[in-house]
Every structure is written in C-alpha cells, then in structure tokens.
C-alpha cells in the first residue's frame, strides 16, 4: 500500500531539488530546454533570498522520505499573492496531491487576508489547469510566446479570495 503524503516547509537542498526535477520532467514530458530549469531556479532562489515568513510559504510533499511535489506562495502586494512552481512527480500523480498543494496555498492566502491569488501557466499543462479550474481560478488572459525552446500559450489565472456579496 502506498504511504500517505506528508507536507513540510523548505529545508536546505529543496531549492536545488525542485529546479533539478522540474527541469528534467518538463524536458521529458514537453521537450522544454534548460532555460525552463533556469527560470525555476531563479524563481526559487528569489523566494529564499526575499522570503517573508509572515506573508509567504512553501510546501514540500514527501512520501516515504522522498520529495514528490511542491508549491510556493509569493507575496506580490498587500492584496495579491501568487501561486508558483506547482509540481508533482509522475509516480505521485492521480492521488490528489496537486489539489492538496493548491488548497494549502489558497488556505494560507485566505488566512493572510489576501484579496486575490494569481498564477501563470501554459495551456499545454492540462492537469494543472484542471486543478486550478476546480479550485475556482478563472482564466484572465492568454498570450503566445516562444520560451523554453517551444511555441507556447501562456495563461494568467486569478482567484478572488474576497467574494462580493
């Protein structure tokens, strides 16, 4: 029987692991080049360098002591936070871990009284987009771009955390 996932905070070595695994996985699954790994490394490095524990958080998912996923929540402003770098290892997919990581971000953002939670993704990332839609995120805009050695359609999504009555 597969062991349950445990969520924990960042530890030394996690940033390198997240960049490494996302670089490899996106190269294998989508043919993206090393510039994607570099972007993940930049985002993760900035998170650590500028970390504000009161307003930001990160969750590392483990199963049987192995990292199997992660997500970051970054402060954009007093009103807005951004969900960054959601990923789940292939052998951990389908068990609800992506949803759980996304829900952790949403709950944290609500607890900190952010008005909205935003994210950027690409339209070919179908499983992630489905998770975001099910969580209530709304597609705000799209734009074609050439990044990571591929022609892609970037998407901006937003979740209103203060529903109007």
């Amino acid at each position: 029987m597969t062991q349950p996932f445990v969520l924990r905070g960042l530890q030394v070595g996690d940033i390198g692991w997240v960049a490494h695994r996302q670089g490899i996985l996106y190269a294998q699954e989508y043919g993206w080049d090393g510039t994607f790994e570099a972007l993940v490394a930049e985002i993760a490095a900035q998170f650590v360098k500028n970390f504000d524990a009161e307003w930001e958080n990160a969750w590392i998912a483990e199963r049987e002591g192995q990292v199997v996923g992660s997500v970051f929540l970054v402060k954009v402003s007093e009103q807005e936070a951004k969900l960054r770098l959601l990923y789940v290892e292939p052998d951990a997919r389908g068990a609800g871990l992506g949803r759980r990581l996304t829900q952790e971000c949403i709950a944290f953002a609500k607890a900190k009284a952010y008005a909205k939670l935003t994210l950027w993704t690409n339209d070919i990332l179908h499983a992630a987009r489905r998770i975001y839609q099910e969580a209530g995120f709304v597609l705000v805009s799209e734009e074609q771009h050439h990044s990571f050695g591929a022609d892609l359609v970037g998407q901006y999504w937003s979740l209103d955390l203060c529903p109007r009555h």
Side-chain angles (χ1 to χ4, degrees), residues 26 86 102 121-122 125-133:
Y26 284 85
L86 174 66
T102 300
T121 191
N122 284 284
L125 304 178
H126 302 291
R129 287 179 34 234
R130 191 167 42 255
I131 290 168
Y132 302 143
Q133 283 180 299

Side-chain angles (χ1 to χ4, degrees), residues 21 25 28-29 63 68 87-94:
R21 288 304 297 154
L25 290 173
Q28 290 172 344
E29 295 176 6
R63 184 180 59 207
V68 293
Y87 108 97
V88 175
E89 288 287 338
D91 66 355
R93 294 177 185 162

Side-chain angles (χ1 to χ4, degrees), residues 25-36:
L25 290 173
Y26 284 85
Q28 290 172 344
E29 295 176 6
Y30 301 101
W32 292 1
D33 66 22
T35 60
F36 178 72

Side-chain angles (χ1 to χ4, degrees), residues 13-14 22 28 36 60 67 70-71 93 104 107 122 129 165:
D14 287 338
Q22 286 201 26
Q28 290 172 344
F36 178 72
I60 301 296
V67 175
S70 63
V71 71
R93 294 177 185 162
E104 291 290 334
N122 284 284
R129 287 179 34 234
H165 299 287

Side-chain angles (χ1 to χ4, degrees), residues 110-157:
K110 285 180 176 179
K112 297 300 178 180
Y114 283 112
K116 70 179 176 176
L117 183 58
T118 60
L119 64 91
W120 178 81
T121 191
N122 284 284
D123 71 339
I124 63 170
L125 304 178
H126 302 291
R129 287 179 34 234
R130 191 167 42 255
I131 290 168
Y132 302 143
Q133 283 180 299
E134 289 172 2
F137 283 86
V138 175
L139 179 62
V140 175
S141 65
E142 294 183 305
E143 63 185 8
Q144 293 184 347
H145 63 104
H146 185 84
S147 302
F148 325 128
D151 291 323
L152 299 167
V153 178
Q155 297 183 326
Y156 294 90
W157 292 75

Side-chain angles (χ1 to χ4, degrees), residues 3-4 6 8 61-68:
Q3 295 297 312
V6 175
R8 62 165 174 79
E62 288 186 343
R63 184 180 59 207
E64 299 175 353
Q66 298 296 311
V67 175
V68 293

